[in-house]
Amino acid sequence: NFLHWFFSGESIAEAAYEICQERGDKARWYSPTSPKLSKWEKLMSLNGTSLKEFRNIISSQDWKVRFINKNPILSSGRRADLPVFKIVRLIFSIFTRLPYTEELFTDRVCYILEKK
């Protein structure tokens, strides 16, 4: 989950593409279509928008927030159900609610919005 701290988005995208190509048909359903990032991507499928920036967009565009779900890191992946990750995830969930740490500890965010 922290590869982007050590490698550029471009390097990660190229490596992921190569790995998927080596796996062949087994990886067809999740394989990127290109080793290059789209113009809007910072990492594959991630636009690089922070939660603060997203909230500013919502407030400036007259949206009403109906629902927010923030999953802490270690919430997804093959090992997410391991007991140790469940415990750590509970601790991390506290930090997803704090203004200065939410960006570091949040894995996925779901917003349901309604146009006012």
Side-chain angles (χ1 to χ4, degrees):
N1 280 350
F2 302 101
L3 285 177
H4 63 284
W5 289 6
F6 304 102
F7 302 99
S8 70
E10 291 83 8
S11 295
I12 295 169
E14 289 173 12
Y17 182 80
E18 289 175 18
I19 290 168
C20 289
Q21 293 303 303
E22 289 173 6
R23 292 180 180 172
D25 286 341
K26 293 178 188 175
R28 183 181 309 252
W29 68 274
Y30 62 87
S31 181
T33 56
S34 167
K36 302 292 180 196
L37 293 175
S38 296
K39 291 180 182 178
W40 58 269
E41 290 178 305
K42 296 289 183 187
L43 284 171
M44 291 179 304
S45 300
L46 298 176
N47 62 17
T49 303
S50 69
L51 288 171
K52 181 179 178 181
E53 290 169 330
F54 184 70
R55 285 187 194 110
N56 288 337
I57 292 168
I58 291 171
S59 64
S60 70
Q61 298 294 317
D62 203 28
W63 290 95
K64 181 178 182 180
V65 176
R66 298 301 250 161
F67 175 81
I68 302 172
N69 182 37
K70 292 191 287 187
N71 292 332
I73 54 177
L74 303 177
S75 294
S76 58
R78 294 182 183 146
R79 296 188 178 109
D81 290 331
L82 292 176
V84 68
F85 283 170
K86 289 180 179 182
I87 294 167
V88 173
R89 195 165 50 242
L90 283 173
I91 296 166
F92 285 176
S93 67
I94 295 166
F95 295 103
T96 65
R97 295 179 179 96
L98 301 173
Y100 296 106
T101 58
E102 72 175 341
E103 294 281 353
L104 293 172
F105 289 91
T106 301
D107 180 44
R108 296 177 192 263
V109 180
C110 175
Y111 271 76
I112 297 178
L113 306 172
E114 180 181 313
K115 192 70 171 170
K116 288 184 183 177

